[in-house]
Amino acid sequence: MKTNPLIGLIGTWKGDKGTDLAPKPEEDENNPYYETLVVEAIDMEISNAEEQELTAVRYHQTVFEKETDEMSHSETGFWIWDNISDTIMCAFSIPRGVSLLAGGTYEKTTGGETTIQVSSKLDDPDWGIVQSPFMRAKAKTLAFKRELKLSGNTLSYTQETTVEIYGKIFAHSDTNSLTKV
């Protein structure tokens, strides 16, 4: 029997070692940040067309710049595990007018670490990106990938959002290490 790879994510996580490499018109910047990630179980079994068995957790991430203590990112979404195909999905929205569904895999090591990797691309028929007309015109998201590493009470991640902005293609990256509180 497969073990649900999302169970270990449930809880409240905090981290203050975040690094955000962000695009700017003149000179790109590196912004240190801290964040809170709240992951909650969804108390229901999800079945689709009697062929798909899903388990999901809901999450909300808030990110604050260390220099100003201002919120710079808010993200609400779901991590979803398809028990039958053994696929991981991440569906989320940010209040800038961007939503996406990323898909991928997970791996559990004998040492107990779980690694989850998901990605999506613009116009991909399976794992896609939807964005408002403004975002498409000014800061078009072309691709997204995220990797989580969960080991006990430590959760670290790296993610890269490829955007077309300020007349260039930019790999906007974020990394952090969080602890369950």
Side-chain angles (χ1 to χ4, degrees), residues 32-43:
Y33 66 87
Y34 63 94
E35 70 181 281
T36 300
L37 173 66
V38 178
V39 182
E40 303 170 312
I42 297 177
D43 237 356

Side-chain angles (χ1 to χ4, degrees), residues 20-31 138-139 161-166 168-174:
D20 171 48
L21 182 58
K24 293 293 177 189
E26 300 301 320
E27 184 177 335
D28 301 329
E29 62 185 21
N30 190 334
N31 300 310
K138 298 292 184 180
T161 307
T162 306
V163 292
E164 185 176 336
I165 188 168
Y166 307 127
K168 62 184 174 183
I169 305 292
F170 187 84
H172 178 186
S173 65
D174 297 291

Side-chain angles (χ1 to χ4, degrees), residues 88-160:
I88 295 286
M89 295 174 265
C90 184
F92 69 84
S93 293
I94 59 171
R96 295 177 189 263
V98 178
S99 296
L100 66 80
L101 175 63
T105 61
Y106 72 95
E107 179 182 356
K108 288 189 171 210
T109 66
T110 54
E113 182 177 84
T114 301
T115 300
I116 298 172
Q117 296 177 321
V118 294
S119 63
S120 63
K121 291 182 182 172
L122 188 62
D123 298 326
D124 185 303
D126 296 324
W127 313 116
I129 300 164
V130 178
Q131 48 205 320
S132 70
F134 177 86
M135 293 301 286
R136 257 193 337 269
K138 298 292 184 180
K140 182 191 288 186
T141 300
L142 303 173
F144 174 81
K145 60 184 174 182
R146 177 181 284 160
E147 178 179 272
L148 300 180
K149 288 186 183 273
L150 175 63
S151 182
N153 287 332
T154 301
L155 174 65
S156 60
Y157 69 86
T158 59
Q159 67 184 36
E160 182 178 283

